[in-house]
Amino acid sequence: MWGGVEFTAENTALLADREDGHPRSRTTIEKLPDKVLMHIFSYLPHREICRNARVCKKWRMIAYDSRLWKSVSLRPEISGLQVTSLENLLALLRQYIVRFGPSLQYIELPIELITHTVLHELANKCPNLTSMLMDFSTAMQLHDFNELQAFPAKLNSLCICLSGVIFMEGFMRKIYNFINGLEVLHLIGTYERVEEEEEEIYEVVNIHKLKSATPNLVVVNLYGINFLDDGHVEAFSSNCIQLECMSAPYCGKVTGSCLKTLLNRCKRLQCLILTQTSLKSEYVMNVEWDKTQLQELDITATDLSQECLIEILTKLKQLRYLSAGQQDSFNDKVLARFLEQGSPGKLVALDLDRCDNLSNEGLQALLGKYGSNLLGLILSGIPTITDQLLISVMPQLRNLRILGVGTAEGCCPKVHTKVLVDQLVEAIANNCHKLERVEIRWDGDTLRHSDKSQKAIDHLRTKALRLKSLVLSEGKYFENVKANFERADRPTVVRSNTLCSVSNCYLLSHYKHLLFN
């Protein structure tokens, strides 16, 4: 698949060759240089590469070039290779290791393949393996690891998807001696699979022993772990003095009592992500924020008090990334104190999603003075913000790469005024040429557009050439915009907000390290 065209033996695209002056003379894709075909293949998932290997000998040779197999996923449910049986899966892995082992840098293993035999093969035949994901999330029982004597020892990054019911200490004890070089650690909990009925919570991995085996960690991501509490977060601070990023989103037992110790010990800590945790204002206010090196902070949906927010924003002098959405206490007084005593001029990313106690006047004061510094701005879910405010500040937002505005249906009080989307899009197109991602959340009933909408859409498409994602509510306007971009051969840009959402996370300094599949 390249540019929307699938290359198969039955349907090979013909390219016109007019160099000899004969318009009718044609050449097949077979005449393309190998490096061009290699580049095309590099955009395909491995399952498609395997299918294309059947077309001809040349395609087979290119499909099995080791440069296309530096990273591989064997989890079919997460877009990995699909294998019909466990025996075939094991055979495929052995064949893969023999053929591509020396070039393999990243691999994703499902629970079926996390055995001592497979891990021995990876350790002995994949000398350049630096990143691994092991998915235990669906496990009801672990394999026997008594004979596990080897494990990939050059790992820089390790991601472990935890099971909610399987204790992993027996396995972890076998690998502790091999993972002391880790710099990036992901522990992914079962937050997204929790059922409404309360179930018993098990501490399935021993965090205190794990931190002792990983003294060189720079990035730690503890995502959605239901047993994780402040003691576990603090444990990393006692042994990982090089820590630069601590992320513990969706960990409901984290209250913030660990923050003072964490920030005192980890002097290099620049990024702290605590989305939807149970932070208590009194613990957060105990932190000496002005003595930290913190530059990036995410406290979305943590319900902190007005005094606590003021304490944070006036003491953090290096703050460049702030995500403080869904904070009822984030009001004009907090914003005014931030403007007076904080360092708003250093912000490059600001997310105030659903902070509906902010007024247009307060936001206009902030954006009018410091908007030119912003690369990312999320002001969605605030019903008082309409197209008129946004149009008035758009000239100051000329450096934006990410923008999210509008009120989605049902998330907050209904917007009573109509939004003139044509004028808003025109203002965005005329001022924000660097935009890469935009989300306009107003629903079809709120958006007012005319028969001349195509002109504004054309301007956005032709001026914002870096635009990768334009997210809209489904409806007539969505269909018009999508058709416009499709006619210009950019079919993947326009997306529905039922499946996609825009955030500032791309601007985090450790964004690539925080990604997990």
Side-chain angles (χ1 to χ4, degrees):
M1 188 79 68
W2 184 44
V5 179
E6 183 176 357
F7 301 121
T8 64
E10 295 79 14
N11 179 26
T12 302
L14 297 177
L15 307 175
D17 183 5
R18 298 173 184 264
E19 293 181 359
D20 58 1
H22 298 286
R24 292 184 179 180
S25 66
R26 295 178 180 274
T27 183
T28 68
I29 197 172
E30 287 291 321
K31 300 297 183 181
L32 287 176
D34 288 358
K35 63 180 182 180
V36 175
L37 282 173
M38 177 79 70
H39 185 69
I40 295 172
F41 276 37
S42 70
Y43 288 95
L44 300 176
H46 283 130
R47 61 178 68 177
E48 294 298 329
I49 291 177
C50 291
R51 289 174 184 161
N52 287 339
R54 304 172 185 172
V55 172
C56 62
K57 290 182 179 180
K58 181 178 180 179
W59 282 29
R60 182 179 179 83
M61 178 189 70
I62 293 172
Y64 291 142
D65 189 294
S66 61
R67 287 171 290 182
L68 295 176
W69 295 86
K70 290 182 178 180
S71 63
V72 65
S73 171
L74 296 173
R75 298 191 296 161
E77 70 279 7
I78 315 290
S79 68
L81 289 173
Q82 178 95 37
V83 185
T84 54
S85 67
L86 178 58
E87 292 75 14
N88 291 340
L89 189 59
L90 289 167
L92 172 67
L93 181 61
R94 293 191 186 100
Q95 182 182 8
Y96 176 86
I97 291 175
V98 169
R99 179 174 289 178
F100 304 118
S103 64
L104 182 64
Q105 297 176 5
Y106 173 75
I107 190 167
E108 296 181 6
L109 296 175
I111 180 60
E112 296 85 2
L113 285 179
I114 305 175
T115 65
H116 72 273
T117 304
V118 170
L119 295 175
H120 284 170
E121 290 287 303
L122 292 174
N124 296 327
K125 297 180 181 178
C126 303
N128 296 308
L129 183 62
T130 56
S131 299
M132 177 186 290
L133 182 148
M134 296 186 291
D135 189 355
F136 294 93
S137 61
T138 59
M140 298 305 294
Q141 183 177 351
L142 292 184
H143 295 281
D144 184 0
F145 291 105
N146 288 329
E147 297 182 22
L148 181 60
Q149 302 297 329
F151 189 81
K154 293 185 179 180
L155 291 181
N156 173 268
S157 175
L158 177 63
C159 179
I160 301 177
C161 300
L162 302 174
S163 165
V165 295
I166 298 297
F167 294 94
M168 296 182 54
E169 186 54 28
F171 169 71
M172 298 300 296
R173 191 165 50 244
K174 289 286 187 177
I175 71 171
Y176 283 147
N177 291 334
F178 300 96
I179 60 174
N180 52 28
L182 281 182
E183 294 183 2
V184 180
L185 174 66
H186 296 266
L187 294 180
I188 311 304
T190 56
Y191 168 78
E192 295 182 352
R193 292 186 295 276
V194 171
E195 298 179 358
E196 292 185 3
E197 297 181 6
E198 290 191 9
E199 298 181 356
E200 191 170 353
I201 296 175
Y202 302 101
E203 187 171 340
V204 296
V205 64
N206 192 321
I207 299 289
H208 296 276
K209 291 184 179 180
L210 177 59
K211 62 92 180 178
S212 299
T214 53
N216 297 306
L217 288 175
V218 176
V219 177
V220 174
N221 182 26
L222 310 170
Y223 183 95
I225 304 175
N226 53 12
F227 67 82
L228 191 91
D229 60 23
D230 292 84
H232 298 116
V233 176
E234 187 175 322
F236 282 103
S237 70
S238 66
N239 196 49
C240 306
I241 60 174
Q242 301 182 64
L243 201 62
E244 295 180 8
C245 175
M246 169 58 75
S247 174
Y250 308 106
C251 295
K253 290 191 174 183
V254 174
T255 64
S257 62
C258 61
L259 293 181
K260 185 174 182 177
T261 303
L262 174 69
L263 290 164
N264 282 340
R265 288 175 176 172
C266 301
K267 300 297 184 182
R268 298 185 181 183
L269 196 67
Q270 299 177 0
C271 178
L272 185 60
I273 300 176
L274 298 169
T275 310
Q276 206 166 317
T277 51
S278 302
L279 294 183
K280 295 186 181 298
S281 296
E282 56 267 30
Y283 292 145
V284 177
M285 293 180 72
N286 283 335
V287 178
E288 296 177 300
W289 295 101
D290 53 339
K291 295 182 180 180
T292 72
Q293 299 298 315
L294 211 61
Q295 299 179 17
E296 301 169 348
L297 180 64
D298 189 337
I299 49 174
T300 301
T302 52
D303 198 24
L304 297 175
S305 68
Q306 174 182 285
E307 292 74 19
C308 183
L309 292 171
I310 291 174
E311 176 77 9
I312 295 171
L313 296 179
T314 55
K315 295 291 182 63
L316 282 177
K317 300 300 183 181
Q318 305 297 322
L319 193 62
R320 61 176 293 276
Y321 179 106
L322 175 63
S323 182
Q326 303 176 52
Q327 292 279 1
D328 291 339
S329 298
F330 205 119
N331 52 31
D332 284 350
K333 184 176 180 179
V334 173
L335 193 56
R337 291 286 295 276
F338 180 43
L339 290 172
E340 292 170 7
Q341 301 175 23
S343 300
K346 294 187 177 180
L347 276 182
V348 299
L350 178 63
D351 185 341
L352 297 175
D353 175 53
R354 284 183 265 183
C355 291
D356 47 15
N357 288 321
L358 287 168
S359 69
N360 285 4
E361 292 75 17
L363 290 169
Q364 195 155 24
L366 171 67
L367 299 177
K369 191 170 184 179
Y370 301 108
S372 60
N373 299 333
L374 291 175
L375 304 179
L377 178 63
I378 306 296
L379 293 177
S380 49
I382 305 178
T384 57
I385 294 181
T386 60
D387 51 322
Q388 296 306 311
L389 170 65
L390 296 170
I391 291 171
S392 68
V393 299
M394 211 52 73
Q396 281 74 46
L397 303 177
R398 56 186 177 274
N399 291 314
L400 277 187
R401 288 160 46 189
I402 299 170
L403 175 65
V405 295
T407 304
E409 185 177 8
C411 78
C412 50
K414 183 76 173 176
V415 177
H416 297 293
T417 58
K418 295 293 183 180
V419 173
L420 303 178
V421 68
D422 295 344
Q423 296 180 16
L424 177 59
V425 169
E426 191 71 50
I428 294 173
N430 289 334
N431 294 285
C432 306
H433 298 168
K434 299 177 182 179
L435 273 175
E436 298 174 8
R437 294 174 172 86
V438 180
E439 180 172 8
I440 299 176
R441 294 188 185 177
W442 288 295
D443 58 55
D445 294 335
T446 303
L447 293 177
R448 178 181 293 175
H449 56 96
S450 67
D451 296 336
K452 297 182 180 180
S453 291
Q454 292 299 327
K455 183 178 179 180
I457 300 168
D458 285 339
H459 287 169
L460 179 64
R461 177 174 48 76
T462 55
K463 292 182 179 181
L465 297 176
R466 301 179 188 178
L467 193 62
K468 301 174 183 177
S469 175
L470 175 56
V471 180
L472 302 168
S473 295
E474 292 185 359
K476 186 176 180 181
Y477 185 73
F478 168 82
E479 297 297 336
N480 290 343
V481 178
K482 186 172 179 63
N484 184 296
F485 275 78
E486 286 177 344
R487 287 194 297 271
D489 199 23
R490 296 174 67 183
T492 62
V493 172
V494 182
R495 306 171 189 185
S496 166
N497 64 1
T498 58
L499 299 174
C500 301
S501 181
V502 166
S503 81
N504 284 335
C505 64
Y506 307 96
L507 300 174
L508 287 166
S509 56
H510 287 287
Y511 167 69
K512 290 184 179 180
H513 292 141
L514 288 168
L515 288 176
F516 65 90
N517 196 6

